[in-house]
Structures are given as C-alpha cells and as structure tokens.
Amino acid sequence: MKKSMAVSLGLVLSVGLTACSSNASNGSSTDQLSQSTGAGAQEKTKISYWTIDRHDSDYIKQVIDEFNATNTDNIEVEYVVKADDYAQALDLSFAANQAPDVFRVKEGTIQTYYKKGYMAPIDEYLTDAQKQEFMVMPNLNQFDGKMYSLPNYGSTMRLIYNKDLFDKAGIQNPPTSLAEMVEDAKLLTEAGKDIGAYGFALPFKSPNSAWDRSARVIAELSGYGGFGFDFKTAQYDFTGFKEIAKAFKQMYDDGSALPGMEALDIDPLRAQFAEGKIGMYMSYSSEPGVYKSQFPAKINWAAAPVPTIDGTVKGASGFLGGQWLAISANSDKKDAAWKFINYMYGDQILQDYHEQGYGISMVSQIIAKAKQPDINGIEGFLPNKDDGVWPIKPTVNVEGAGYQETFFKYMLQGGDLDKEVEDLNTRYNAAFAKAIETGDVEIEADPGFDPTKLGGAFAQ
Amino acid sequence: MRNLKQKLPGFWFSLPSLVLTLIFSVYPIGWAMRYMFYDYKGYGTERFVGLDNFVRLLSDEAYWNSVVNTFVYAGGKLAITLPLSLILAVILNRGIRGKGFLRGVYFLPTIISASVMSVVFFTVFNSYNGVLNQLLVRYGIVERNVDWLGVDKAMLTVILIAAWGAIGNYMLLLIAGLQSIPDDIYESASLDGANAWQKFIYVTIPMLGPVLQMVIMLAIINSLKGYESIMVLTEGGPIGKTEVMFMYVYKLFFPISTSSNSMEQQLGYGSAVGFVTAIIVGVVTLFYFRLSKRLNQVH
C-alpha cells in the first residue's frame, strides 16, 4: 500500500512540478517582457494577414514591410501567402479559433464567408471620404446593409497566348470561336513539336479551378451564366457548356493539349507557359504579375478576349471584384487590423497596385488619376466594352459529381453528353429547390435579364 | 479497499492519456455522431433529417467508388510494402557492413512529411518533363512520355510513392522483432541441417508471428486511412481514379473551393460518411484479427 501511495504521490508531484516549471518559464518570459517594456520599448501588436494572391506578393511584401517599419502604433503584420489550399486553411483556422486577423476575400467566396460569420463589419471605421471613394456593391462587399470589405482591383478573364508559337504556326490572330480554338491548338502543337510545346492547357488537377477560369468565361461571353445558372428562369441549365466541353474534348483527343494536364496545378502550368511549352490557356488578369515576378516569361505573350461558342458575342465577360481585405470576426485586435487595412487602401498603394499591373483598379478615384499599368501583357486585360459584372449565382450543395468534374470526365472518356447535361440539370435544380425551401437561398427569376446589357460599364 | 489502492497507480498513469482520448477522440466522435442525423453546413441552422444522410450515402456512387479505390490502394501498398520491408529487415539484421547507415537511409522516408515527399515526386512523375520520363525516353525504354498521373496509371503511381514512404517504418519494427528471436534456435536449426531458406521459413517467420501480426495490422489501418500524398499529388483525380475514402470525407468537411466559386461544407453528410468509413476500417481490422490468430501463436 505504501508503495502504491508513493507511486501515486510521485506522479502527482511530477505533474505538479512540470506545471510549476512551465509557470516558472512563463513567469520569466513575462518578466523579460516587462523589463523591456520598462526600458521604453512598447509591446508589439502582432496581427496576421492571409491571402491567396501570389501574383502581387513581391509588391505586397514591400508595402507591408514599410507598414511594419513606419507605423506609429507599433503594429506588426505577419504576411502569409497560402496557395490553392487557401479556402480549406481558412475554414480550418476558423474552426480551430486561430483565424488570421485580416484575410483576402473574393467575389466567389465573400458570400459564404458572410454566411459563416467570418467577417466583422467595418462601417464604424469608415470615414465619410472612404464612403464616397469606395463603391458599395450589394452581395459583393455589402450584406444586409453593412460593409465588410472595400473594392481595390477587379479581375478580367482572357485567353493568354504564346505569340512566338502563334507566329511560328503562322496564325495571325488569337481564336474568336471554339472551332478556331480547336484548329489553332492543332496547328500550334504541330509547330511546337521540335521544342515539345503543345497548343492548349488547363490546370485540371482541380477540375473546378480549370473550368471556372475557362469554360465559365467562354459561356459568359456567349450569353450563358458562367456557373450554369440561368438568371432569366432562375434554374440551373448546363446546356451552354455542351459545345465548350466538346471543343475541350476535341483538343484532348487531337493530342493538342499538354500531356499530363489532368494532374496539373495552375502554377506548374504557368511555369510551362513561361518556358514556351504551351500555346494558349485561359485565366485571370493576375497573369501579367505572375510573368513579371513569379515565373519570368522567356517568351513573347499577350492576352485577348476568350473565344465565344460561335464567334459572336452575346453576353459579357465577367469582371470580378468589389472586395479585397476583410477583418476576422474572431479577431481581438480589430482596431489594429483596421489600421493596417486603412493603410493598404491608401490612394498611393492602390494607384501603385494598378500602375504596376497587379490588378485593374475598380476605384473610380484611382482610375481617374492612375497611369496606364506598366507591365507586359496587361493591355490585353484592360476592361473593354464586353466586360461586365454578372449577378451572383446561388451556392447549392449538389449530390453526386459537380458539373466541372462531369465535363472533365466527358473530356477524358467521352460518353453521352446530352444525358450528362440532363442529369446535371436535374441534380442541381433538386439541390437548388431544397436550398430555396430551407431558406438558404433567395433568388427570383428575372425574365428581362439580358446578358448583352452587362458589358460596357467599365469601357466603351 | 486494498484492491482499489493497488489499482490506484494504474489509474493515475492512465489518466493523462484517458483525458486526451476523451478530448480528442471521444468528444469529436460524439459530435460527429450527433451531426450525422443533421443537415448542417457549419453555419446557419442545423436541420434534423433523420436517416436521410445514410439513404443518400447508399446511392452515392462517388463514395462507393472511393471505397473500391481504397481497397485497391491499400492492397497494392501492402503487397509491395510487406514483402520488401521483411526482406530488408532480414538483410539488415545480419552482420553486413554499413547496416546502421542503410537502416537510416531506408527509414528516412518515414520522417519526411508526406506533402513534401509528394511535391518532390511530382517533379519525378509528371508527364511533360518529369525526371522519370526523361530517363525512360533517353534510354529508349519508352518511345514517348508516359502519363504517370493520368487516368490509367495515377493509382499505380500513388501506390508506389506510398510504399516508398512506408517500407522503412515496417522494416524497423520487423528488425526489432527479429532481434528478439534467440540465436540458439538458429543454432539448433543449423545442427539439424537446415539451410538459410529453411531457417527463414521454419524459424524466422513463426517466431516473428506476433510482431508480424501487429505490423500487418498497422499497415492495413494506415493504408486504409492514408490520403496525404494523394491529396498533394492528384487531389483524388483524375476523375476520381485516386479518390480514397478518407479523402472523400475530408473534402466533405473541407471542400476544395476555387477563388471564384465557393463550395460549402457538408458537415452532416460528412459525419455520416465518416462514421460508415470508420465502421468499414473497423470491420476489416477485426476480420484480419480473426484470420491472423494463428500468427500470434509462437510454438
């Protein structure tokens, strides 16, 4: 009995000592801190900023370093650039109560972040001048009358093409229809044989990422909702993607697509494009920044409007944006976070951002005074008469494979496309009806909706 | 009373792990078991849906496809890992020169993060300029680049990578098992005229039985649960060819959104799928235990 008591006591004591030693070490660090505070150095307020943007990382790092060095509130910002796992990392961080104080929000994610309660409203911080300067965009930066972010830059979507390879293949202009795109991809592959270049590529490791930067904008410019949602009828209808899926499949079957694009992420794709191994692909206006700093391009390249289904424009190419930075609802340093955001939205930073070509400003005050961006390739991305802001589509949880995965499967293995589209329509509309019924989604049919009228707001 | 006091130290010693288990295993399991009867996206209202999630699971083709993939992945990984780790263990248990160094080399993949490993392997296996394809083409073994991460070969590739990462770990466990076999049994066998192969079959394998049973069980569970390298290398693609059960569950909890198209979490359905998946792993492990009872009997 004595022995058992001794062992039990020993265990309790050892646990207790461990706790004490940990307290002791905490105590000493507190002492050190208070000593240094006593010596005049003020404790730093550390906040973190997470973003998915990589194309502007050199510039943003520079402005954040400057903020850290010059701000008089002793705020220190930790700048974290996340790659394609950004959304999951953010969800995990909120689930674990370790969310960043400031984080990047985008036009396709801010609605969900609002519903999840990730963001804190910023109305109390906004000055009258800021309220004037930054456009209020319902469902893009304002929800239920409260502001959660402010616009900085918008992204246009374009076809990015390798001019050298186009010249070599004898193609004068980038394709304007799907048929031309398929044909050009074949010619480019033929011309690129000696250097191992291929006509076309998309980052299909994530079919969503590939589809939403390509087929989406082809559909939009052709008059169809880019996510398969028809705003006229308020129903899902994926018919608009049929011809696009067929064209992608044709390029794949022709051998005009980069081998292995099934497992390709966007960054490895860009690395290959920068090396001259890809003839054309589609993406956002962040690409000039990428080819300036992330993967300096060794080729001449340019951007052009994406092709439409039949060569005629019947809609508008999505101009995405309306938001940039948001404060975490869980942050206990919201004031410091706002001071950082306030600095980031300063006119000079926004103007430099635009002029250095990291993004196309959506702030009229900046557009009015900024010079044309000085970065190779940006001219093709500047808004034209066919760029416009589409309404926000509802987010639904569909049962079974998503449409991007379904079309990707068709591209690789073929099948009955009509049947697939019918099945997608049925499943998405069932999920949509359920979301309406439960009150998760509120959207009504707009019989007068005309996609041709969306363009022209940013340029004539 | 006396009995209770004798048991007290045991209780104290097990208390820390009991607390941790309660917090990090029992509580989340309880949480998930509640939500599997709900429709819940991580925000807003949670709606009780009864058995709807399980009914949906029955007809969820993608999930059952991932179950099949898991067994192919686990089977392939075990078929490569176990014989190779046993052979390596036997070789490196002998008095060969540099065995300590070699053990370290083979064990190294175990301590490298699966994600880092997969990024490196992407540069080896990618179809357009991967190191492997360059070597194969240069030496005329293949005429044109092989699509190692394509529809047909992605599963083979992730199995090879997973096996590479696991062999060293099981090798080390088996070496520990081999060292517990007394030398005099081998000496007796030699006196009886047994050759090396006979000693391996009639002494090493039976004496290694309990360790082997445990190693195989760990290997089965790890293979059924593993998805990290797949996540980095293929994200379960192309078209679900490398989607395994736990990856499918992970995606329901943390869907892969793009910057322009947000996907919503499906915590209720994810919990139901996670529960059924855990049962599948449990049943397989139990089945294996029954089958492998003989391994545990050392004569």
Side-chain angles (χ1 to χ4, degrees):
Chain A
M1 187 198 137
K2 268 186 179 173
K3 199 176 170 187
S4 67
M5 280 298 286
V7 173
S8 305
L9 197 66
L11 189 69
V12 173
L13 278 175
S14 62
V15 171
L17 282 172
T18 315
C20 286
S21 69
S22 123
N23 279 344
S25 70
N26 284 348
S28 73
S29 66
T30 314
D31 287 348
Q32 279 169 10
L33 199 68
S34 56
Q35 275 169 14
S36 64
T37 309
Q42 206 187 334
E43 194 183 342
K44 290 242 179 221
T45 306
K46 291 192 176 178
I47 60 168
S48 54
Y49 164 47
W50 283 16
T51 180
I52 189 176
D53 291 338
R54 304 189 287 284
H55 69 286
D56 59 3
S57 56
D58 285 351
Y59 173 69
I60 295 296
K61 188 178 180 309
Q62 178 199 322
V63 297
I64 289 180
D65 284 347
E66 204 175 312
F67 176 78
N68 286 340
T70 57
N71 82 84
T72 51
D73 299 296
N74 220 6
I75 298 168
E76 187 176 301
V77 178
E78 185 204 11
Y79 174 46
V80 181
V81 182
K82 294 266 172 192
D84 293 332
D85 62 344
Y86 179 74
Q88 291 118 301
L90 202 65
D91 278 336
L92 277 169
S93 73
F94 273 94
N97 207 16
Q98 292 178 341
D101 301 281
V102 178
F103 60 102
R104 170 79 162 108
V105 286
K106 288 199 166 188
E107 72 288 341
T109 53
I110 192 168
Q111 300 85 12
T112 308
Y113 294 159
Y114 169 67
K115 285 188 205 165
K116 288 181 178 178
Y118 286 0
M119 301 176 296
I122 54 172
D123 302 79
E124 60 172 305
Y125 296 113
L126 290 173
T127 62
D128 288 342
Q130 283 171 323
K131 284 177 188 166
Q132 284 280 315
E133 181 177 357
F134 296 102
M135 194 195 287
V136 174
M137 299 164 97
N139 292 326
L140 286 168
N141 56 28
Q142 188 201 50
F143 297 89
D144 291 331
K146 287 183 180 167
M147 293 296 288
Y148 289 86
S149 185
L150 301 170
N152 167 17
Y153 72 96
S155 297
T156 53
M157 290 180 280
R158 296 287 187 263
L159 177 98
I160 295 116
Y161 65 102
N162 176 343
K163 278 163 78 177
D164 295 342
L165 198 58
F166 267 67
D167 289 346
K168 198 173 168 196
I171 307 169
Q172 301 289 322
N173 295 307
T176 56
S177 69
L178 290 179
E180 273 180 39
M181 181 173 75
V182 172
E183 189 54 32
D184 288 354
K186 216 189 277 184
L187 294 172
L188 291 165
T189 308
E190 194 57 38
K193 256 189 181 162
D194 57 330
I195 51 166
Y198 289 81
F200 183 77
L202 279 172
F204 271 110
K205 179 181 175 186
S206 162
N208 298 15
S209 167
W211 199 261
D212 293 346
R213 70 178 71 231
S214 59
R216 169 206 181 164
V217 62
I218 297 175
E220 285 179 345
L221 202 55
S222 305
Y224 296 98
F227 300 100
F229 190 75
D230 184 345
F231 293 94
K232 264 188 195 171
T233 59
Q235 285 287 291
Y236 275 94
D237 182 1
F238 294 93
T239 315
F241 284 139
K242 264 164 64 173
E243 293 307 315
I244 304 169
K246 280 183 193 169
F248 284 4
K249 178 171 173 48
Q250 192 61 54
M251 289 191 285
Y252 184 76
D253 291 348
D254 289 345
S256 311
L258 183 78
M261 74 170 177
E262 300 96 305
L264 206 61
D265 254 332
I266 183 63
D267 275 347
L269 183 151
R270 288 162 167 163
Q272 290 305 305
F273 182 78
E275 292 289 326
K277 305 289 186 193
I278 294 169
M280 57 184 165
Y281 72 101
M282 280 160 265
S283 196
Y284 307 99
S285 48
S286 45
E287 304 308 89
V290 168
Y291 295 122
K292 182 186 176 190
S293 52
Q294 199 180 346
F295 302 109
K298 297 176 182 166
I299 49 159
N300 290 304
W301 67 275
V306 299
T308 56
I309 291 173
D310 60 4
T312 51
V313 174
K314 294 172 186 161
S317 181
F319 191 24
L320 327 167
Q323 58 299 110
W324 190 31
L325 309 179
I327 300 178
S328 160
N330 294 356
S331 172
D332 52 1
K333 297 163 192 159
K334 289 192 182 71
D335 291 345
W338 171 256
K339 278 177 182 156
F340 168 60
I341 289 186
N342 194 39
Y343 163 83
M344 294 294 276
Y345 277 97
D347 277 5
Q348 195 55 53
I349 289 177
L350 297 190
Q351 190 173 334
D352 288 348
Y353 199 95
H354 175 90
E355 288 179 351
Q356 292 181 28
Y358 296 113
I360 298 150
S361 182
M362 274 186 130
V363 183
S364 49
Q365 198 168 306
I366 302 296
I367 297 170
K369 62 181 173 183
K371 286 181 255 162
Q372 169 111 343
D374 177 26
I375 185 168
N376 181 46
I378 194 73
E379 57 286 350
F381 284 100
L382 294 176
N384 63 36
K385 64 179 174 50
D386 295 323
D387 286 303
V389 178
W390 278 76
I392 302 296
K393 53 99 193 172
T395 301
V396 295
N397 270 337
V398 70
E399 292 183 11
Y403 63 92
Q404 301 100 328
E405 182 87 11
T406 304
F407 288 123
F408 179 46
K409 192 173 179 183
Y410 168 78
M411 190 185 98
L412 296 183
Q413 296 187 323
D416 187 340
L417 190 56
D418 291 327
K419 213 171 140 194
E420 293 290 358
V421 167
E422 202 182 310
D423 176 53
L424 282 172
N425 290 347
T426 309
R427 286 190 291 117
Y428 271 81
N429 283 322
F432 178 55
K434 195 175 158 195
I436 295 266
E437 188 189 312
T438 54
D440 288 341
V441 166
E442 284 173 28
I443 193 164
E444 283 181 9
D446 177 7
F449 177 74
D450 181 0
T452 57
K453 300 224 167 87
L454 296 175
F458 298 91
Q460 290 302 316
Chain B
M1 186 67 188
R2 183 184 166 80
N3 196 20
L4 181 77
K5 281 179 180 166
Q6 273 179 344
K7 285 178 180 168
L8 206 58
F11 171 74
W12 283 117
F13 276 115
S14 59
L15 188 64
S17 53
L18 181 72
V19 170
L20 291 175
T21 308
L22 285 174
I23 295 172
F24 293 110
S25 294
V26 178
Y27 173 71
I29 290 171
W31 184 92
M33 285 182 78
R34 174 175 173 262
Y35 275 111
M36 62 195 187
F37 302 107
Y38 283 81
D39 177 11
Y40 182 49
K41 295 184 216 164
Y43 64 87
T45 45
E46 47 199 50
R47 282 179 292 276
F48 183 75
V49 292
L51 293 173
D52 280 8
N53 286 330
F54 292 94
V55 174
R56 176 180 165 189
L57 179 62
L58 287 176
S59 58
D60 187 343
E61 211 178 304
Y63 174 69
W64 295 110
N65 180 38
S66 80
V67 175
V68 174
N69 284 343
T70 307
F71 283 97
V72 172
Y73 171 76
K77 186 178 166 187
L78 291 174
I80 297 171
T81 310
L82 291 173
L84 280 181
S85 50
L86 183 59
I87 291 168
L88 278 175
V90 172
I91 293 171
L92 296 180
N93 193 40
R94 291 179 172 191
I96 60 166
R97 273 178 69 186
K99 67 178 180 183
F101 171 74
L102 287 172
R103 281 178 192 175
V105 167
Y106 286 115
F107 187 69
L108 208 59
T110 309
I111 55 169
I112 299 174
S113 121
S115 313
V116 172
M117 200 167 86
S118 306
V119 170
V120 173
F121 271 109
F122 181 75
T123 63
V124 174
F125 282 103
N126 82 59
S127 311
Y128 46 92
N129 67 352
V131 177
L132 182 61
N133 272 337
Q134 288 184 26
L135 286 174
L136 293 176
V137 172
R138 178 175 300 172
Y139 293 107
I141 298 166
V142 296
E143 269 185 32
R144 48 181 297 178
N145 286 0
V146 179
D147 200 356
W148 292 108
L149 298 170
V151 175
D152 298 330
K153 298 202 174 54
M155 181 55 94
L156 175 69
T157 306
V158 294
I159 287 173
L160 288 174
I161 295 169
W164 179 84
I167 285 171
N169 191 25
Y170 301 127
M171 173 202 77
L172 212 65
L173 293 172
L174 290 170
I175 286 176
L178 287 171
Q179 286 176 348
S180 67
I181 303 174
D183 284 343
D184 48 6
I185 301 181
Y186 287 106
E187 282 167 21
S188 316
S190 299
L191 288 174
D192 288 343
N195 60 26
W197 175 249
Q198 285 168 325
K199 277 192 263 183
F200 178 71
I201 295 293
Y202 297 111
V203 178
T204 308
I205 297 284
M207 292 299 288
L208 210 53
V211 175
L212 211 53
Q213 187 197 31
M214 200 49 70
V215 166
I216 296 175
M217 191 192 73
L218 284 174
I220 289 174
I221 295 176
N222 285 340
S223 305
L224 291 175
K225 283 170 64 184
Y227 70 94
E228 297 86 350
S229 55
I230 296 177
M231 178 91 188
V232 177
L233 215 57
T234 63
E235 266 179 27
I239 51 172
K241 291 289 176 187
T242 56
E243 187 92 275
V244 288
M245 295 187 296
F246 277 90
M247 172 123 189
Y248 190 80
V249 176
Y250 176 84
K251 281 182 179 173
L252 290 169
F253 278 92
F254 301 105
I256 297 166
S257 301
T258 61
S259 55
S260 58
N261 195 2
S262 174
M263 310 277 285
E264 293 195 319
Q265 291 169 293
Q266 301 183 55
L267 302 188
Y269 184 55
S271 299
V273 177
F275 179 74
V276 171
T277 305
I279 287 183
I280 292 174
V281 176
V283 167
V284 171
T285 313
L286 212 66
F287 187 65
Y288 163 74
F289 246 127
R290 294 238 158 166
L291 272 184
S292 65
K293 261 190 179 167
R294 273 189 59 205
L295 273 176
N296 208 8
Q297 295 162 358
V298 179
H299 301 286

